[in-house]
Amino acid sequence: QPSFQDFKSLEIDCLLANDLAIEVCRRFVDRDLNRCFSRSTLHSDAADSYEMHRAQEINARIGPRFSAEASDLCIDLHNTTSNFGCGIIITDTSSPDLHWKLQLCDYLRCRVPNVHILLDCLGDCSEEPYLPLTAKNDLTFEVGPQAHGTLVSEVFWNQRRLVFGALDFLERFNRQQLSDEERSEKTLEVFIQTGAVHYPTRSDGSLRASIAAELQGKDFQALHLGDPVFQDLESGEMILWDEPECYPCFINEAAYLSSGIAFQKTMRCQLTIPELRSDGSLCNIELPSVD
């Protein structure tokens, strides 16, 4: 098995982001750590929770965010309770660095099963609150399904394949050892996040419906007009999809329940990824507009 010492051109640092939450086997103690890295939160003098203090510590170690001293890349490793498969999430899509990140995604897609590539922000991401944005470049590897506090062998090994596959690509890119095929222009399927869908609720804010059985576990599969989406908890009546076709993900994600989010909508598209040139120059990637 590979080890971090194999990648001589890379300076690799690892950390567990939320130590206290790990000790008590919870996602977070006071507030979601992965929502504490916006510009305003990082510079707040009123850090009133463990996670806000921790975010400032992590920012000092990996960043500081928006600074020349920030790390070149942060890879954030997540598990999800949804049937997400092996997800690669990119938030900062406005930089020419998107070029090599999408080439890396294609490299991983060819080596790891069931890879989905999700772009979750088009345009300015300076107020997005996610941890990997503390570095100059962000990647999140989101692998599931796996319930919090459990270990699923397939999820563990796929996460490991993503990590060491990414490091192998970066090492060989730095040493100019990628093959002509690995550098070549490609067409890549990606999903672009377009918005959240919330659970139907009663007047007191409690849930009125659950995810329909026909939708459960169907992450990244087409949701058509008239398909069942929710089932009323009292009558059993199906609530049908009344919007244009989309590709839902994070369906019934446990971490979203407190926010009332049932799933995220995405659009599927094909992007042309230019050749990675040997001189290291990068190209802007043309992305479709999202209404």
Side-chain angles (χ1 to χ4, degrees):
Q1 294 294 333
S3 70
F4 292 148
Q5 287 71 36
D6 296 335
F7 306 102
K8 306 299 185 185
S9 74
L10 306 176
E11 184 178 339
I12 302 170
D13 185 22
C14 302
L15 66 88
L16 296 174
N18 199 328
D19 305 75
L20 191 54
I22 292 169
E23 288 181 17
V24 298
C25 197
R26 289 166 51 186
R27 177 176 169 86
F28 55 84
V29 178
D30 298 314
R31 59 186 293 179
D32 191 337
L33 178 62
N34 203 37
R35 302 296 184 273
C36 292
F37 291 87
S38 66
R39 185 193 302 267
S40 55
T41 302
L42 289 173
H43 292 91
S44 172
D45 294 326
D48 58 357
S49 69
Y50 168 75
E51 275 81 10
M52 287 184 69
H53 284 291
R54 184 63 178 146
Q56 291 175 353
E57 292 173 354
I58 292 171
N59 184 53
R61 177 168 170 175
I62 298 177
R65 187 175 177 182
F66 309 112
S67 75
E69 295 76 29
S71 302
D72 290 325
L73 172 67
C74 178
I75 302 177
D76 197 8
L77 309 183
H78 287 197
N79 67 286
T80 170
T81 60
S82 67
N83 191 29
F84 206 84
C86 297
I88 306 173
I89 303 175
I90 301 173
T91 300
D92 184 1
T93 61
S94 60
S95 163
D97 288 295
L98 182 63
H99 181 185
W100 68 259
K101 286 189 280 190
L102 289 175
Q103 282 279 5
L104 183 153
C105 287
D106 183 79
Y107 182 84
L108 294 175
R109 181 189 60 80
C110 297
R111 288 158 177 79
V112 182
N114 199 21
V115 164
H116 302 102
I117 301 152
L118 177 64
L119 310 183
D120 74 348
C121 178
L122 298 185
D124 179 32
C125 66
S126 61
E127 273 302 314
E128 294 296 323
Y130 308 121
L131 186 156
L133 294 170
T134 54
K136 294 186 180 75
N137 291 285
D138 70 289
L139 290 172
T140 297
F141 294 162
E142 187 94 39
V143 185
Q146 177 175 281
H148 190 71
T150 66
L151 180 61
V152 177
S153 181
E154 181 183 19
V155 170
F156 171 84
W157 284 103
N158 282 337
Q159 188 73 271
R160 182 183 173 91
R161 291 183 185 103
L162 288 171
V163 169
F164 282 102
L167 296 178
D168 179 66
F169 177 93
L170 294 169
E171 174 75 11
R172 293 173 59 232
F173 176 78
N174 286 348
R175 296 181 178 276
Q176 298 189 354
Q177 293 176 348
L178 293 175
S179 68
D180 290 343
E181 172 59 27
E182 289 164 342
R183 290 181 175 276
S184 65
E185 178 180 294
K186 299 172 179 71
T187 300
L188 186 63
E189 178 183 82
V190 304
F191 296 85
I192 298 177
Q193 193 163 303
T194 59
V197 175
H198 289 75
Y199 287 99
T201 57
R202 302 184 180 96
S203 58
D204 64 358
S206 61
L207 296 189
R208 181 170 66 85
S210 60
I211 296 289
E214 292 84 348
L215 179 60
Q216 180 63 41
K218 301 294 179 60
D219 294 67
F220 298 106
Q221 296 184 36
L223 179 61
H224 303 285
L225 184 68
D227 286 348
V229 179
F230 299 108
Q231 186 170 18
D232 191 282
L233 292 171
E234 295 180 0
S235 68
E237 181 181 353
M238 289 296 179
I239 300 172
L240 306 182
W241 187 241
D242 59 0
E243 298 184 26
E245 178 184 274
C246 72
Y247 291 80
C249 65
F250 286 116
I251 299 171
N252 208 6
E253 164 59 46
Y256 288 170
L257 183 58
S258 61
S259 302
I261 295 175
F263 57 88
Q264 297 285 348
K265 295 184 297 183
T266 77
M267 59 181 284
R268 185 178 69 174
C269 62
Q270 304 287 325
L271 297 182
T272 299
I273 314 303
E275 175 188 2
L276 269 180
R277 299 169 183 165
S278 57
D279 63 5
S281 59
L282 299 172
C283 301
N284 287 312
I285 306 297
E286 184 175 349
L287 299 175
S289 60
V290 175
D291 296 331

